[in-house]
Amino acid sequence: MKRANRLTDLPPYPFARWAAEVNAARDQGLDVIRMDIGSPDLPPEDDVVEALYKSARQPDSHGYPGYRGIPELRQAVADYYGRRFGVELDADTQVVPLIGSKEGIVNLALACLDPGDLALVPDPGYAPYTMGAGLAGGEVVTFPLLAENDFLPDLDAIPADVADRAVLMWLNYPNNPTGAIAGLDFFARAVDFAREHDILLCHDAPYCDVTYGDYVAPSLLQVPGAEEVAIEFNSLSKTANMAGWRMGMAVGNAEALAALAQIKSNFDSGIFRPLQEAAARALAADPEWLAARNAIYAERVDVILETLTEVGMAAVRPRAALYVWAKVPAGWTSEGFAQGLLRQTGVAVAPGPFFGAAGEGYVRLSITAPTERVREAMARLSQFVLEQ
Ligand SMILES: Cc1ncc(COP(=O)(O)O)c(C=O)c1O
């Protein structure tokens, strides 16, 4: 079989490669605890599953669902943005439902980048920002997210000629993998930066409702005028424990969304109607359900931080998202540590470089295993580190 040249520049998705390591550990008889991927272990709200079932029972639910999402779902997204952020969206032109936000992130690159066009991407960052730009033949320039800057980019450090050439810029807060957060003041500066350099600012916010304590994450679209230069990606994967359902959305700048929808109409044929109806229900989640779910995550964060502190692995307490970003002990590379931990104890964590070169020296621990399993994993990690 001939393999297209673009595959040469598109390495296997890091987690697809890592899955082989995890399976090998399992095949060796290890009791594997997966704290490497951010796939919520808890189910969605009962009413959401009911809505799916009810719609699937309707004889007219099974045809092609249309390209731009059913009006009820687009309106539910607009209502959610209004209620949650005070952001007004036109449901017809400013909302595009996605088959998971990853799909939209990659297709947006195809919609906006010609070969040689430049995309600004955070390092560390979610891999599809880079992969999407690569698929489009674009050039990726990374900007570092450093601990000393609270994992926010230093916009002034991006050279003006690079910024002027950039077509797209990606931001992601609450952040994967660092767990960092950004305030509206930073978002306002990013909007100014995008306007000054004529960049489409793409903010990826799938963790905006996975928050701890009294922290409430803002939308970048809360910045006045942001929709003139920005779109925001969101998802029900983490907010509503629906990662396997593949349900996301892009909102904001109507022109960029029209371009995305045009690409999508050539790739996919919409989302199964019952999924869309259930998603509309999930967007109206009971705040108490969300708070109870987030309290379970918060307990897991506590368990992890307690252990990391005991074994001397530095990590900042996240105020949002599903991850603890921890320094590996001295003398280890990220992948060496993650591999050693997996092969000896069955505990899977993600090596930092999966998210970019600046991730070297870190591992990402995901809090999406049941709490008792997180406790067990931390007992094993503690023994592993202290025995070295
Ligand atoms: C930052 C970020 N964006 C997007 C996604 C993709 O989410 P979805 O399941 O909606 O494709 C993830 C998933 O882990 C993520 O971490």
Side-chain angles (χ1 to χ4, degrees):
M1 188 201 97
K2 176 185 181 298
R3 287 167 66 88
N5 290 337
R6 73 176 62 85
L7 283 179
T8 313
D9 300 327
L10 190 72
Y13 194 59
F15 282 98
R17 177 169 70 78
W18 186 245
E21 296 266 353
V22 173
N23 288 339
R26 222 175 249 138
D27 290 346
Q28 280 164 21
L30 284 167
D31 167 31
V32 170
I33 304 178
R34 295 209 64 170
M35 295 178 63
D36 51 339
I37 49 171
S39 184
D41 58 307
L42 298 162
E45 272 187 288
D46 278 349
D47 286 359
V48 175
V49 180
E50 275 309 314
L52 173 75
Y53 175 74
K54 217 171 122 195
S55 176
R57 298 285 305 176
Q58 299 303 316
D60 59 354
S61 279
H62 302 274
Y64 288 116
Y67 292 101
R68 192 107 189 216
I70 59 173
E72 299 89 313
L73 175 57
R74 279 187 273 112
Q75 192 55 53
V77 172
D79 291 346
Y80 164 77
Y81 263 79
R83 222 177 28 249
R84 171 70 176 80
F85 302 112
V87 168
E88 213 175 290
L89 296 173
D90 180 293
D92 291 333
T93 59
Q94 290 191 285
V95 177
V96 173
L98 302 170
I99 307 172
S101 55
K102 181 180 181 184
E103 174 261 295
I105 287 165
V106 173
N107 275 328
L108 182 83
L110 298 179
C112 297
L113 298 177
D114 283 315
D117 280 349
L118 197 152
L120 285 167
V121 169
D123 178 9
Y126 182 56
Y129 310 144
T130 298
M131 305 302 181
L135 263 184
E139 181 189 341
V140 170
V141 173
T142 59
F143 52 86
L145 305 184
L146 304 173
E148 57 265 36
N149 295 336
D150 297 327
F151 299 109
L152 291 171
D154 178 357
L155 298 175
D156 296 333
I158 299 173
D161 60 321
V162 170
D164 284 338
R165 278 186 54 218
V167 173
L168 291 183
M169 177 177 193
W170 286 99
L171 294 175
N172 159 227
Y173 294 96
N175 184 255
N176 173 16
T178 67
I181 56 173
L184 275 177
D185 52 341
F186 170 73
F187 285 158
R189 276 187 280 129
V191 166
D192 286 347
F193 180 83
R195 190 172 278 121
E196 184 185 338
H197 297 286
D198 196 15
I199 295 171
L200 177 65
L201 185 60
C202 303
H203 182 232
D204 186 21
Y207 301 99
C208 65
D209 284 326
V210 181
T211 53
Y212 309 121
D214 56 4
Y215 178 65
V216 179
S219 161
L220 183 129
L221 296 177
Q222 284 172 249
V223 175
E227 78 282 355
E228 291 158 20
V229 294
I231 57 175
E232 187 158 270
F233 287 82
N234 216 315
S235 168
L236 292 178
S237 293
K238 326 287 173 165
T239 292
N241 299 343
M242 290 166 67
W245 296 50
R246 314 308 303 127
M247 183 59 68
M249 66 215 81
V251 299
N253 182 275
E255 197 185 336
L257 294 177
L260 173 60
Q262 185 176 334
I263 286 283
K264 277 178 60 58
S265 69
N266 286 285
F267 270 80
D268 69 70
S269 299
I271 304 168
F272 184 41
R273 184 179 177 98
L275 286 174
Q276 297 193 60
E277 291 194 16
R281 169 62 192 78
L283 284 159
D286 177 357
E288 281 184 24
W289 180 86
L290 267 182
R293 192 277 313 275
N294 287 347
I296 294 172
Y297 284 150
E299 186 186 351
R300 296 174 186 175
V301 168
D302 286 344
V303 170
I304 293 170
L305 285 178
E306 201 177 308
T307 301
L308 294 180
T309 308
E310 274 166 25
V311 302
M313 289 173 67
V316 178
R317 175 178 292 275
R319 297 183 69 191
L322 294 172
Y323 312 108
V324 176
W325 186 237
K327 285 254 189 203
V328 293
W332 289 96
T333 61
S334 298
E335 190 143 347
F337 179 81
Q339 254 168 6
L341 183 68
L342 176 62
R343 289 175 185 171
Q344 275 192 43
T345 74
V347 175
V349 299
F354 281 14
F355 307 93
E360 184 51 54
Y362 289 90
V363 284
R364 189 192 75 172
L365 292 85
S366 166
I367 60 170
T368 52
T371 309
E372 281 318 306
R373 297 289 280 166
V374 171
R375 280 189 210 285
E376 168 65 23
M378 289 304 99
R380 293 186 204 171
L381 179 142
S382 174
Q383 197 178 359
F384 176 77
V385 174
L386 297 175
E387 272 173 4
Q388 301 303 315

